[in-house]
């Protein structure tokens, strides 16, 4: 596959000042206000003036920086480039292969590469060419644009008027995954991939850090909102990613036209790799799979397996059984996939409620990291997408445990192996993981 499938850059270690905080998450998930869906979108220009979010230097007298527009429009925040991407030669080629007139006017592309709300929700300054603008994440601003700057305005009031709760880990995950994995109404099918679209991958904590921050999670932030960094963000991201995937598996998207189910639900590299780069491992056999068969994507389930082993050991056999049943169903029939997905999803929802309301200790988080490295070292985590997810998890947790520098050499070795899917080999990843296990 082409070069855009490589991770474009690694997170700069310690770019942000990371503080250790024992975090509980998900306890106060605000009900999504009805207004979010039907609020008018005013356009980036309405947020970007130099008396609002378009200041040139960070303001210290305010809670927020007011330089958000500058951060978003910098080349490093790809959301401000996402519409322009649709004008590129690469997009032109994708559009031609799909038989579209062009990419920049196709809803198929705009739905994720812009804030493509219905015409009647676009105010006078709104421009779809802004790409993934402020309101694609923060919600249409019509009802709160005036009130949110008034002295004494609270975040709770803003939410009531339709601002999106981006600070809530689960809600944030749903938002990002909507474009970074897809929904029932916007999705990168294998036909779109086959035309040349890059493979999608997502990990909430890493991608939150990779998007140039336009805010600080500092003391006043935590007081106004809540702490949103750390283990809780990573774990919630895994639960939501797994559940989003399970939801998509239960939808009509699985029924691709033709004799096969939709390919993009399967592990891309179970079909796409050179024949001398062998991927079959005994760990797969132990899961009840046969060599030479298709596998559904299981990268998020493998992370959840590590979490379950530590936070809920008595249930880990049950989780392994349910996720193995899903992989087997993936080789049986669409009906079997839907049934197994629904069961696994129900199981996860129950764990989310339990895990979300418990305090996780530093020792437990260390043990979860070790479990990911162990699953990598014993060959259970071996497909590229799982190795990539494992790397992101190990790095995220190391940053929060505060020993990323000490284990830096091990992280570097793992990263070098998952940087490109073309150069990836399960064998090298496994041996780097064995070395990492000794370093931990
Ligand atoms: C409306 C759709 C949409 C939403 C919502 C969205 N993104 Fe994106 N994101 C994109 C698109 C499209 C790109 C690719 C832009 C390009 O390069 O043209 C992207 C790119 C990125 C990248 C760069 C990826 C890379 O390989 O360098 C990061 C990081 C990212 N998004 C993080 C997030 C996070 C975190 C959230 C949730 C807070 C989020 N995104 C929400 C559509 C979205
Ligand atoms: C389900 C949401 C979704 C849809 C639909 C979608 N994209 Fe994307 N696209 C993304 C995301 C997210 C990324 C960034 C992936 C990453 O880096 O992790 C991306 C990346 C790209 C890139 C690579 C950008 C770069 O800077 O390397 C191109 C080109 C692209 N998309 C074109 C298109 C075209 C053309 C269409 C319509 C046929 C389309 N996309 C439809 C979500 C989507
Ligand atoms: C890809 C999604 C995304 C886009 C696009 C985006 N933001 Fe944000 N924004 C976030 C996330 C995530 C946070 C952190 C969570 C929170 O505090 O709500 C945040 C936080 C903020 C904050 C709160 C800071 C604080 O201390 O409370 C402001 C203000 C803000 N964004 C303004 C903007 C403006 C203005 C734009 C457009 C120029 C923009 N954002 C574009 C996702 C996004
Ligand atoms: C069931 C096997 C299978 C799976 C799983 C699969 N693909 Fe494919 N893919 C194919 C086949 C078959 C083709 C057509 C190859 C050809 O035309 O030579 C193809 C073509 C492609 C192409 C175009 C290659 C070209 O030569 O033009 C891309 C890119 C691609 N797939 C990406 C992906 C991504 C990303 C995933 C995972 C989300 C994925 N595929 C999953 C079988 C698969």
């Amino acid at each position: 596959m082409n070069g855009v499938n490589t991770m474009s850059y690694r997170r700069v270690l310690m770019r942000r000042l990371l503080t250790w905080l024992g975090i509980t998450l998900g306890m106060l998930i605000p009900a999504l206000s009805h207004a979010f869906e039907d609020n008018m979108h005013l356009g980036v220009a309405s947020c970007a003036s130099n008396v609002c979010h378009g200041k040139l230097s960070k303001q210290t007298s305010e809670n927020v920086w007011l330089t958000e527009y500058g951060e978003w429009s910098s080349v490093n925040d790809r959301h401000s480039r996402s519409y322009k991407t649709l004008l590129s030669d690469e997009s032109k080629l994708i559009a031609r292969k799909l038989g579209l007139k062009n990419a920049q006017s196709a809803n198929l592309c705009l739905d994720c590469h812009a804030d493509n709300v219905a015409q009647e929700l676009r105010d006078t300054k709104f421009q779809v060419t802004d790409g993934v603008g402020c309101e694609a994440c923060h919600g249409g601003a019509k009802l709160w644009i005036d009130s949110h700057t008034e002295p004494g305005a609270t975040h709770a009031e803003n939410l009531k008027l339709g601002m999106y709760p981006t600070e809530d880990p689960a809600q944030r995950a749903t938002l990002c995954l909507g474009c970074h994995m897809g929904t029932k109404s916007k999705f990168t099918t294998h036909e779109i991939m086959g035309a040349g679209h890059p493979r999608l991958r997502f990990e909430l904590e890493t991608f939150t850090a990779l998007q140039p921050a336009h805010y600080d999670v500092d003391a006043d932030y935590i007081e106004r909102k809540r702490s949103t960094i750390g283990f809780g963000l990573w774990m919630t991201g895994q639960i939501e990613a797994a559940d989003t995937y399970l939801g998509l598996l239960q939808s009509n998207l699985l029924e691709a036209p033709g004799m096969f189910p939709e390919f993009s639900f399967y592990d891309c590299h179970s079909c796409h790799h050179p024949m001398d780069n062998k991927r079959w491992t005994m760990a797969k056999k132990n899961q009840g799979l046969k060599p030479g068969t298709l596998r559904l994507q299981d990268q998020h389930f493998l992370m959840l397996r590590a979490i379950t082993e530590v936070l809920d050991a008595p249930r880990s056999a049950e989780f392994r059984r349910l996720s193995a049943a899903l992989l087997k169903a993936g080789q049986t029939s669409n009906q079997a996939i839907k049934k197994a997905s629904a069961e696994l999803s129900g199981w996860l929802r129950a764990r989310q409620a339990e895990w979300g309301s418990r305090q996780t200790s530093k020792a437990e988080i260390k043990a979860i990291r070790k479990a990911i490295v162990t699953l990598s070292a014993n060959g259970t985590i071996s497909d590229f997408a799982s190795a990539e997810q494992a790397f992101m998890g190990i790095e995220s947790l190391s940053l929060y445990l505060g020993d990323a520098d000490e284990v830096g050499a091990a992280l570097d070795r793992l990263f070098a192996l998952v940087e490109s899917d073309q150069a990836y080999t399960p064998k090298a990843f496994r041996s780097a993981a064995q070395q990492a296990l000794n370093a931990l």
Side-chain angles (χ1 to χ4, degrees):
M1 278 181 265
N2 55 20
V4 286
N5 287 312
T6 58
M7 287 177 89
S8 35
Y9 47 92
R10 184 176 175 188
R11 161 161 23 156
V12 182
L13 291 180
M14 302 308 191
R15 186 170 75 199
R16 298 160 302 152
L17 179 66
L18 298 167
T19 34
W20 171 254
L21 298 147
I23 294 157
T24 50
L25 69 139
M27 292 191 303
L28 290 163
I29 298 177
L32 256 195
S33 152
H34 175 63
F36 178 70
E37 304 265 298
D38 6 285
N39 242 353
M40 288 284 275
H41 288 226
L42 306 179
V44 172
S46 310
C47 317
S49 95
N50 61 6
V51 292
C52 303
H53 296 287
K55 290 196 189 295
L56 296 175
S57 57
K58 279 187 205 171
Q59 304 297 299
T60 46
S61 58
E62 304 283 341
N63 286 332
V64 303
W65 294 359
L66 297 181
T67 55
E68 295 83 4
Y69 172 69
E71 303 293 340
W72 170 82
S73 55
S74 80
V75 287
N76 293 331
D77 195 330
R78 300 254 300 268
H79 296 111
S80 58
R81 314 275 134 175
S82 56
Y83 176 85
K84 286 186 198 78
T85 291
L86 300 182
L87 305 172
S88 71
D89 289 345
E90 198 186 348
S91 288
K92 282 195 185 115
L93 203 58
I94 297 175
R96 235 184 314 139
K97 288 181 177 171
L98 292 172
L100 301 170
K101 189 167 125 248
N102 58 48
Q104 72 270 22
S105 62
N107 285 333
L108 185 65
C109 309
L110 289 170
D111 281 348
C112 294
H113 283 260
D115 186 16
N116 197 28
V117 288
Q119 292 296 337
E120 61 273 20
L121 294 181
R122 299 179 181 190
D123 208 63
T124 46
K125 284 193 202 160
F126 179 93
Q127 288 185 305
V128 78
T129 54
D130 286 333
V132 179
C134 318
E135 291 162 292
C137 290
H138 292 293
K142 181 80 168 184
L143 296 182
W144 49 264
I145 186 97
D146 294 328
S147 62
H148 87 297
T149 59
E150 277 162 17
T154 66
H155 187 55
E157 282 157 6
N158 296 334
L159 294 180
K160 253 188 241 151
L161 293 173
M163 188 184 271
Y164 192 86
T166 36
E167 77 288 357
D168 179 85
Q171 302 281 14
R172 186 189 308 175
T174 308
L175 172 76
C176 314
L177 284 162
C179 295
H180 284 268
M181 185 182 284
T183 66
K184 283 170 201 152
S185 54
K186 48 180 184 178
F187 188 67
T188 48
T189 56
H190 189 258
E191 187 182 351
I192 299 179
M193 301 290 187
H197 197 280
R199 185 178 60 92
L200 299 185
R201 68 274 200 263
F202 191 74
E203 192 278 280
L204 181 62
E205 203 284 327
T206 301
F207 273 58
T208 291
L210 284 178
Q211 182 192 2
H214 48 266
Y215 54 91
D216 278 320
V217 181
D218 54 13
D220 100 72
Y221 179 101
I222 292 169
E223 198 186 309
R224 284 181 294 118
K225 295 182 168 172
R226 60 159 79 189
S227 169
T228 55
I229 59 176
F231 171 75
L233 195 57
W234 176 77
M235 182 174 83
T236 305
Q238 292 303 331
I239 295 174
E240 296 302 324
D243 208 41
T244 299
Y245 176 68
L246 293 169
L248 291 168
L249 281 177
Q250 290 169 72
S251 77
N252 294 337
L253 288 165
L254 186 65
E255 272 94 23
M259 63 191 284
F260 301 110
E262 169 56 45
F263 281 1
S264 65
F265 287 119
Y266 287 84
D267 181 72
C268 312
H269 303 92
S270 64
C271 290
H272 290 284
H273 65 80
M275 284 186 226
D276 57 359
N277 182 346
K278 303 209 166 51
R279 307 284 166 123
W280 184 253
T281 59
M282 285 309 288
K284 293 198 173 77
K285 189 172 168 62
N286 297 340
Q287 277 183 297
L289 301 177
K290 287 183 181 149
T293 51
L294 272 180
R295 302 182 286 284
L296 286 172
Q297 295 186 21
D298 64 350
Q299 62 269 29
H300 299 294
F301 304 127
L302 286 164
M303 298 304 108
L304 288 163
R305 175 167 164 184
I307 296 171
T308 308
E309 278 174 9
V310 175
L311 297 191
D312 206 346
R315 282 214 176 81
S316 69
E318 189 184 25
F319 179 68
R320 279 205 308 278
R321 183 177 58 73
L322 289 171
S323 47
L326 176 63
L327 292 195
K328 275 205 131 168
Q331 307 178 334
T332 313
S333 70
N334 287 1
Q335 219 185 345
I337 294 177
K338 289 181 188 203
K339 187 166 163 280
S341 297
E343 265 182 66
L344 191 48
S345 175
W347 190 93
L348 270 181
R349 283 290 157 223
R351 297 297 83 70
Q352 186 205 32
E354 289 165 16
W355 296 344
S357 56
R358 91 202 269 296
Q359 195 84 29
T360 310
S361 72
K362 214 168 166 170
E364 286 171 320
I365 295 169
K366 252 191 168 150
I368 290 170
R369 177 178 64 178
K370 191 164 179 195
I372 300 174
V373 180
T374 305
L375 290 171
S376 306
N378 69 21
T380 305
I381 292 177
S382 74
D383 285 321
F384 177 77
S386 312
E388 178 186 58
Q389 201 55 241
F391 167 76
M392 290 192 277
I394 296 164
E395 184 183 61
S396 286
L397 299 184
S398 302
L399 283 164
Y400 291 104
L401 288 166
D403 62 1
D405 279 343
E406 289 151 56
V407 300
L411 284 173
D412 290 345
R413 272 194 301 273
L414 290 170
F415 178 67
L417 296 170
V418 297
E419 200 176 357
S420 150
D421 64 345
Q422 304 195 50
Y424 177 78
T425 70
K427 208 171 148 207
F429 186 73
R430 186 173 179 172
S431 82
Q434 282 161 352
Q435 268 181 297
L437 201 56
N438 299 334
L440 289 181

